[in-house]
Amino acid sequence: VVSDCGQYMAAEHCYHSHNVMVPLVLFLAAALALWVYFQTHRPKNFPPGPPPIPVLGNLLELHLENPIADLERLAKRYGNVYSILLGTRRAVVINGVGALKEALVNKSADFSDRREDLFVRRAAHPKAHAPGVVLSPYSPGWKEHRRFILATLRNFGLGKQSMEQRILAETHRVVKLLQQSDGKPVDPQSIFHHTSSNIICQILFAKQFDSEDEFMKFFTSFFRETSKIINGPWGMLYDSIPSVRYLPLPFNKAFHLFKMSHERYLEKFIENKKTRVPGKPRHFIDAYLDELEKKKRGNTESLLSEDQLRAVLLDLHFAGTDTTANTVLSGLLYLMKYPHVQELCQQEIDRVLQDKPEVSLEDRVQMPYVQAAIHEIQRTANTVPLSVFHCTTRDTDLLGYSIPKDERIIPNLSSVLNEKGQWKRPDEFYPDNFLNENGEFVKPEAFMPFSTGPRVCLGEGLARMELFIILVTLLRRFRFIWPEDAGEPDLTPVFGVTQTPKPYRLRAQIRSSLK
């Protein structure tokens, strides 16, 4: 009897457990299904895109080492405005001249914000009240900073002969280094990062740094390392799947490096503040502090602050170094790959400059082919392929699609620089893409390597000056040759927030006309 009773009670317990477990499992399954639905559901009239899978979204559709080709493939399938799910985070990808101009120019007030939860923002500018200018929300504070920065850059020589002289002085350092190489293969990577960094440092700190200076060595390495992480696989993973952010993964290296960069800017800030004379600015730091004190004296509401100054220093130093250096490196690589283009540039340079001791920016108008070659270098180098991600400021629409407020926007600049119908030969390195039938330089509207609209790169004017003066000066003195034992030049870039050529070596042979 006892045995039968025990068996009965066990069966009864099993029955009740079963009755409890079934509803619980059904409830959890329903909750999971609802979670998956809301995570992957596209709102009404939202841009189309590939079907996502739970947790990963469309990440398996993208080659995270370099997703450019995959984004182009999806545009062919879904159109110039489509959506993807990066993990659990939605994004709208905008492709082509028409769609990008409509969003970033015609509807710029709707599409010019920045998200505060992006990896690059949290790593580069961890203080919420000091977002810098590149990653700052679209706000009166951002507009105030942008106006001030542009005015200060002009005050310190942007577009003027004094800036030309600074660029020439740094370029002469490069000429000296290449002459000392005596035609033997050299690695140009650090040379050009040092050059472009020193040019912007003269504005920021009124100082030139030796290549062995610890400050310079840290930042030239820092820019190369972090640019690869930000839009690389680990940065993408951080932005796509929030649950991995607390794991000891490689993106933590970027947080560490950015922290070190802020510490170094703080040292420079304290050092310069000791010798500052109010009202007599020597460099950008002084000018910013003068403006900050002026706002305080007038009790004017402003977002200027010392923390924000250090954030802006990072923005200007990074943007003023990495993009220009990588474009010059790409340029020399292409000119070695296509020596006939190099030779045509040198013939035009010789014809225009003749006995003139140095090139000047005003010589551009007489060098249509050189201008075309430099712009073609920028087009094919595709240095900032996905710009910096934007965000919508309010509910809006684009080409018939409804896009909610706070939606992540990816401007695919690469799609414009290679768009069929916009270029004579979009898939080739072809300077004639920028020449009309009369051999005159023209700039198609699809040329937007610095983005477009209110968020266009702050350093565009300086970059144009540097590229022209540096490349013309070097091509006038040297013939650049690919080393015979190095195989074929590899034009495939290393993807990042800025793309860079794979490391290479070059030979700089002094031209026979100068021997």
Side-chain angles (χ1 to χ4, degrees):
V1 172
V2 172
S3 174
D4 289 344
C5 183
Q7 289 176 2
Y8 173 79
M9 291 179 66
E12 184 75 8
H13 175 74
C14 182
Y15 173 76
H16 284 295
S17 297
H18 179 72
N19 281 353
V20 171
M21 285 300 295
V22 169
L24 181 61
V25 169
L26 290 174
F27 172 78
L28 291 175
L32 180 61
L34 280 173
W35 181 83
V36 169
Y37 173 78
F38 284 113
Q39 287 293 328
T40 60
H41 174 66
R42 288 183 169 88
K44 184 179 179 182
N45 202 36
F46 195 68
I53 62 174
V55 182
L56 294 178
N58 299 121
L59 287 178
L60 297 183
E61 295 263 3
L62 305 175
H63 180 57
L64 296 186
E65 288 288 342
N66 188 339
I68 299 299
D70 294 316
L71 295 177
E72 299 284 347
R73 173 178 53 80
L74 292 172
K76 290 177 182 176
R77 188 188 306 171
Y78 296 102
N80 279 340
V81 179
Y82 66 86
S83 62
I84 54 176
L85 206 66
L86 300 173
T88 58
R89 304 301 175 93
R90 263 193 339 238
V92 174
V93 185
I94 305 179
N95 309 268
V97 173
L100 276 168
K101 286 219 161 186
E102 178 67 13
L104 305 187
V105 179
N106 299 339
K107 292 192 168 186
S108 59
D110 294 359
F111 286 90
S112 292
D113 210 356
R114 302 283 198 223
R115 289 190 66 98
E116 297 182 16
D117 60 349
L118 290 180
F119 168 63
V120 61
R121 168 66 189 276
R122 291 186 172 183
H125 303 309
K127 295 183 178 180
H129 67 280
V133 64
V134 175
L135 300 171
S136 175
Y138 187 69
S139 64
W142 169 77
K143 293 177 182 177
E144 175 190 26
H145 272 87
R146 188 176 176 90
R147 281 194 301 268
F148 170 76
I149 290 168
L150 288 171
T152 305
L153 289 175
R154 286 192 291 269
N155 290 341
F156 284 107
L158 182 60
K160 301 176 184 176
Q161 193 171 10
S162 59
M163 182 58 70
E164 290 185 29
Q165 294 306 312
R166 291 173 182 169
I167 298 170
L168 281 167
E170 285 304 316
T171 308
H172 289 158
R173 290 190 182 197
V174 179
V175 169
K176 187 176 180 181
L177 283 170
L178 295 177
Q179 285 174 336
Q180 291 171 349
S181 72
D182 197 27
K184 295 182 178 65
V186 295
D187 181 352
Q189 311 295 317
S190 59
I191 292 175
F192 290 106
H193 274 82
H194 178 209
T195 300
S196 54
S197 182
N198 244 347
I199 291 167
I200 190 65
C201 280
Q202 289 180 62
I203 297 174
L204 301 179
F205 313 112
K207 185 173 181 179
Q208 290 174 293
F209 296 91
D210 184 83
S211 58
E212 294 304 310
D213 185 279
E214 286 303 316
F215 182 87
M216 179 61 72
K217 286 170 71 175
F218 169 78
F219 276 102
T220 51
S221 171
F222 163 75
F223 294 142
R224 291 199 299 268
E225 286 291 316
T226 53
S227 68
K228 285 186 283 189
I229 298 173
I230 290 169
N231 272 5
W234 294 109
M236 190 82 74
L237 188 67
Y238 182 98
D239 283 335
S240 303
I241 305 176
S243 58
V244 307
R245 295 178 178 181
Y246 308 101
L247 300 177
L249 295 172
F251 49 66
N252 287 311
K253 181 180 180 181
F255 282 92
H256 175 66
L257 288 172
F258 274 110
K259 183 174 182 291
M260 292 174 67
S261 77
H262 281 287
E263 290 168 355
R264 281 159 173 76
Y265 286 130
L266 179 59
E267 291 170 6
K268 287 291 172 204
F269 174 73
I270 293 171
E271 175 188 317
N272 281 284
K273 205 172 179 183
K274 288 177 183 176
T275 57
R276 171 177 170 254
V277 178
K280 295 183 178 179
R282 302 159 295 179
H283 41 57
F284 184 85
I285 294 175
D286 284 356
Y288 191 102
L289 292 174
D290 283 349
E291 184 71 9
L292 176 59
E293 290 178 358
K294 177 182 168 185
K295 299 283 186 184
K296 287 180 178 178
R297 286 195 303 270
N299 290 320
T300 307
E301 187 176 344
S302 171
L303 292 181
L304 273 70
S305 69
E306 292 188 358
D307 283 341
Q308 176 69 338
L309 167 57
R310 292 191 290 277
V312 170
L313 287 177
L314 172 59
D315 285 353
L316 296 179
H317 195 185
F318 202 137
T321 298
D322 209 49
T323 51
T324 303
N326 288 335
T327 305
V328 172
L329 289 167
S330 296
L332 294 177
L333 180 62
Y334 276 98
L335 292 173
M336 289 186 291
K337 172 75 173 177
Y338 303 100
H340 66 283
V341 174
Q342 182 176 172
E343 188 175 341
L344 288 171
C345 286
Q346 288 166 332
Q347 288 172 8
E348 187 173 72
I349 291 167
D350 293 345
R351 184 171 63 253
V352 172
L353 297 184
Q354 296 185 23
D355 296 328
K356 188 178 177 182
E358 300 290 355
V359 65
S360 172
L361 208 59
E362 64 186 18
D363 295 318
R364 285 184 303 178
V365 294
Q366 299 180 66
M367 297 185 186
Y369 189 82
V370 170
Q371 281 216 77
I374 291 174
H375 282 71
E376 183 68 352
I377 286 166
Q378 290 178 268
R379 186 187 75 84
T380 51
N382 192 14
T383 304
V384 193
L386 302 180
S387 185
V388 178
F389 292 0
H390 287 228
C391 175
T392 47
T393 58
R394 57 193 173 208
D395 291 351
T396 186
D397 61 89
L398 182 64
L399 301 187
Y401 294 114
S402 300
I403 302 177
K405 180 183 177 181
D406 293 330
E407 202 67 39
R408 191 177 310 192
I409 305 295
I410 302 178
N412 187 1
L413 300 185
S414 180
S415 70
V416 178
L417 297 175
N418 297 285
E419 188 171 1
K420 286 179 170 56
Q422 298 293 330
W423 308 96
K424 296 172 186 175
R425 298 185 187 177
D427 300 322
E428 298 178 28
F429 180 75
Y430 187 62
D432 284 37
N433 279 320
F434 291 90
L435 297 173
N436 64 16
E437 61 276 7
N438 298 318
E440 298 165 331
F441 173 72
V442 291
K443 194 190 312 185
E445 68 168 350
F447 183 73
M448 50 177 77
F450 299 101
S451 191
T452 190
R455 289 285 189 172
V456 68
C457 177
L458 274 167
E460 179 181 4
L462 180 58
R464 283 200 307 262
M465 292 181 73
E466 289 185 53
L467 290 173
F468 181 76
I469 292 173
I470 291 171
L471 287 171
V472 169
T473 300
L474 295 180
L475 288 172
R476 190 183 189 190
R477 287 165 172 76
F478 302 101
R479 185 163 71 96
F480 291 95
I481 305 168
W482 186 256
E484 294 176 0
D485 60 351
E488 280 295 307
D490 186 353
L491 303 179
T492 308
V494 177
F495 181 74
V497 67
T498 56
Q499 292 198 127
T500 182
K502 292 178 180 176
Y504 68 85
R505 298 172 74 80
L506 59 77
R507 288 176 54 213
Q509 185 180 83
I510 298 174
R511 294 179 62 204
S512 56
S513 58
L514 297 176
K515 289 183 179 178

